Amino acid sequence: MSGFFAHLEPYAGDPILSLNEAFQKDARPHKVNLSIGIYFDDAGRIPVLDCVRRAEAALLAESRPKPYLPIEGSPAMRRAVQALLFGEGSRVLADERVVTLQTVGSSGGLKVGADFIRRWLPASEVWVSDPTWDNHRAMFEGAGVKVHAYPYYDAATGALAFDAMREKLDALPAGSVVLLHACCHNPTGVDLSREQWRTLVPLLRQRRLLPYLDLAYQGYGDGIAEDAFAVRLLADEGLSFFVANSFSKSMSVYGERAGALSVVCADRAEAALVMGQLQATVRRNYSSPAIHAAGIVEKVLTDPALRRDWEADVAAMRERIAAIRRRLHELLVAARPGRDFGYFLSQRGMFSYTGLSAAQVDRLREEHAVYLVRSGRMCVAGLNGGNVERTAAAFAAVL
Ligand code: LMR
């Protein structure tokens, strides 16, 4: 008897998550995981931040009941997120123009926002950078929204194709949604400068485009507040926009699914409408978010001692990545003199776009047990003192 599901297409797997699973199964002891966007410490472990440990100890000691959170999440966590993103004393917060929901990671926020766009802005199509995080397109298309790409990365120079990007955005229909990485672009590590962000503002306003910021790597670029520059700029300039943010990387709490979605609206009345329809969207999706994630984020952001320690931890993670970038660069320059590896230094955050072809990436994996995403994206945070030399030698061998 044939089953109900025999006609299903086999799932090809996810370009990032499936690769990470393949890495786990690889028995070679010298294997190096540069695939997934996770911060590993110099010993190759996912750190448990001391501030998170203490926040969790306090939560355990309080032994609070665990009711359902409201659909929009914990009020204290949402307030703390707003201050983190927009800054204490922000005008848009004082004017009550910002709606923030705690979501299931920033992916949950992106999906809720995508469903909302599909339902309430049905004529709007989404424009993502070329390239972008592998899952952006799938998420919006999965919500029934048409997705297109705008130029972003110039493979010839390894830098931002800003003129081409601006030209394209300038030609989009009014109401188009433009997905922008607020910092530490995934996958290229190539960001807009502050000046370039400022140049985009009048264009976004005049063309009536709706920015959708993805802020998953806050703190890994220049600093926690510094990496919120684009969020604060757009808010100060009076634009309406979405921002999905994550604590997965910045607090090293990946599996807690701690994130939020904020929408900056034209005024308070509009914000109330947006909140209502986002609540309806969440209720239809997963009903309400996780209480443990809210507790951690709230405590770390609002307890002064925990907050201070968190900021120091984030700075240490950022600085370790910068140092290992310099080391890799030094090793590659020595191994392949005359070749330009400067992009490892200029690209920021967790990722670098290596320019390696899919065939070269396959060789790295098969012959050297070094795992990168097939686009050539490398998670620099997977490098450490114990594997950087072997990795540089493997790169030099396939280049
Ligand atoms: C990544 O880009 O590797 C991370 O954001 C993890 C993921 O879910 O893809």
Side-chain angles (χ1 to χ4, degrees), residues 112-123 143-145 277 280-281 284:
V112 166
D115 284 352
F116 174 92
I117 288 166
R118 174 77 187 109
R119 173 86 192 262
W120 296 104
L121 303 168
V145 181
Q277 287 305 330
T281 310
R284 283 194 291 265

Side-chain angles (χ1 to χ4, degrees), residues 42 320-328 380 383-385 388:
D42 200 53
R320 194 189 83 74
I321 293 177
I324 207 77
R325 279 184 181 278
R326 290 194 292 272
R327 180 74 183 124
L328 178 68
V380 188
L383 289 174
N384 58 55
V388 66

Side-chain angles (χ1 to χ4, degrees), residues 14-17 35-38 106-107 133-135 186-187 216-217 249 254 257 350-351 373 377 379:
D14 179 82
I16 298 171
L17 301 183
S35 64
I36 194 162
I38 288 183
S106 58
S107 291
W133 179 46
D134 281 303
N135 211 23
N186 180 3
Y217 295 88
K249 338 273 176 177
Y254 304 87
R257 312 310 294 128
M350 255 193 212
F351 301 114
V373 180
R377 184 193 84 168
C379 177

Side-chain angles (χ1 to χ4, degrees), residues 69-75 77-79 81 85 99-116 139 212-216 242-248 253-263 275 277-279 281-283 285-295 297:
L69 282 180
I71 295 173
E72 67 278 14
S74 142
M77 185 264 201
R78 291 164 44 232
R79 263 195 308 276
V81 169
L85 297 184
V99 165
T100 298
L101 290 88
Q102 176 197 342
T103 54
V104 181
S106 58
S107 291
L110 285 167
K111 173 65 164 72
V112 166
D115 284 352
F116 174 92
M139 271 186 172
Y212 198 139
L213 301 184
D214 185 342
L215 179 54
F242 291 76
V243 51
N245 79 291
S246 172
F247 296 97
S248 296
V253 291
Y254 304 87
E256 295 293 350
R257 312 310 294 128
L261 173 67
S262 301
V263 187
M275 175 53 113
Q277 287 305 330
L278 286 173
Q279 286 169 318
T281 310
V282 167
R283 180 68 170 150
N285 265 289
Y286 52 82
S287 199
S288 59
I291 200 164
H292 192 66
V297 171

